[in-house]
Amino acid sequence: MQLLGKVQDWNDERGYGFIAPLDTSHGGGRTFFHIRDYRQQGRRPEPGELVKYLVDRQDDGRWRATQVIRAAQPVRKSKSPAHKSASPRNPYTAGRDALRVALVLGYAALLAWAIDRELLPLESAFAPILMSIVTYLAYAADKHLAQRERQRIPEANLHLLEFLCGWPGALFSQRVLRHKSRKASYLIQFWLMVTLNVCATGAWIYWKS
């Protein structure tokens, strides 16, 4: 039997969420669903969205929503004239993108200057390129595993790649793949890896000079 419910929680990075049924006499509490169960041709679920769905009991005994389709527009809170609602933070504004590009170009300029002064070997120019490719592939693999609810790549491993000159690739991955771009605790560790790598590179160049 098709049920009517409301999307209560949605984790877009991991691709799953929960639906709270409007009629609790059929199945009780909220029900898990995955992005693969959402039948809206490329759209993403939104919290507050009214949906129709079927329920299916999984092998572990828990219920899962399947064939989830949108029933109505999501309920949005009206803006109060006295209290203007704050717009959600967007990590991909033009200003922030410009800062990211400037950071990568500045890092590349530092390496080029050091190589020109023979403070670094020529091979050091290829390390950030190679490690950025490896880091991008690791991000892509981690997102793929998250979408399929499989064991993820440990965050410590991703941070190690970032520290080992792969952080430009991580920046590109966050922008293109929309992965690891909103979790505050992860981003703090990411920028720490960027800082440590840049400082270590600068210290090495200073020592060689």
Side-chain angles (χ1 to χ4, degrees):
M1 181 179 66
Q2 194 173 54
L3 303 178
L4 187 65
K6 185 182 294 184
V7 177
Q8 190 176 56
D9 295 302
W10 176 251
N11 188 321
D12 196 58
E13 184 173 303
R14 297 191 174 186
Y16 70 82
F18 294 90
I19 299 173
L22 298 186
D23 184 359
T24 56
S25 63
H26 299 284
R30 63 182 194 166
T31 307
F32 171 88
F33 79 107
H34 193 267
I35 187 61
R36 296 193 299 270
D37 305 310
Y38 189 70
R39 308 292 179 84
Q40 289 300 124
Q41 299 181 346
R43 280 194 65 261
R44 310 291 288 185
E46 301 177 44
E49 179 179 353
L50 199 62
V51 294
K52 295 178 182 179
Y53 62 100
L54 301 177
V55 290
D56 183 38
R57 188 181 291 275
Q58 302 179 88
D59 295 338
D60 58 7
R62 293 183 295 180
W63 291 99
R64 175 171 180 159
T66 62
Q67 300 184 33
V68 182
I69 59 174
R70 191 177 197 178
Q73 293 287 338
V75 178
R76 302 182 185 277
K77 295 181 180 180
S78 59
K79 293 183 180 180
S80 170
H83 302 283
K84 196 179 212 177
S85 61
S87 58
R89 292 190 305 169
N90 180 8
Y92 306 115
T93 60
R96 293 185 180 184
D97 280 345
L99 287 175
R100 291 182 175 92
V101 171
L103 179 60
V104 174
L105 291 179
Y107 183 69
L110 174 65
L111 294 180
W113 177 84
I115 292 172
D116 181 65
R117 296 298 182 90
E118 298 183 351
L119 300 176
L120 289 176
L122 180 61
E123 293 78 9
S124 62
F126 298 99
I129 298 174
L130 177 62
M131 292 306 301
S132 290
I133 293 173
V134 172
T135 304
Y136 180 89
L137 294 176
Y139 266 66
D142 187 60
K143 182 172 184 178
H144 179 81
L145 293 172
Q147 291 174 338
R148 282 153 182 77
E149 301 177 299
R150 299 172 63 183
Q151 185 173 356
R152 306 278 299 279
I153 297 175
E155 291 186 351
N157 292 1
L158 296 177
H159 288 316
L160 179 60
L161 291 174
E162 294 157 3
F163 173 71
L164 297 175
C165 300
W167 61 264
L171 275 179
F172 186 69
S173 304
Q174 292 170 11
R175 184 65 174 87
V176 174
L177 302 176
R178 296 293 198 273
H179 188 56
K180 297 294 187 182
S181 59
R182 294 185 179 273
K183 185 178 176 182
S185 59
Y186 185 91
L187 290 176
I188 291 172
Q189 293 294 321
F190 165 73
W191 286 111
L192 177 61
M193 294 301 104
V194 174
T195 302
L196 289 176
N197 175 262
V198 173
C199 289
T201 303
W204 177 265
I205 293 172
Y206 178 78
W207 178 72
K208 294 294 286 186
S209 64

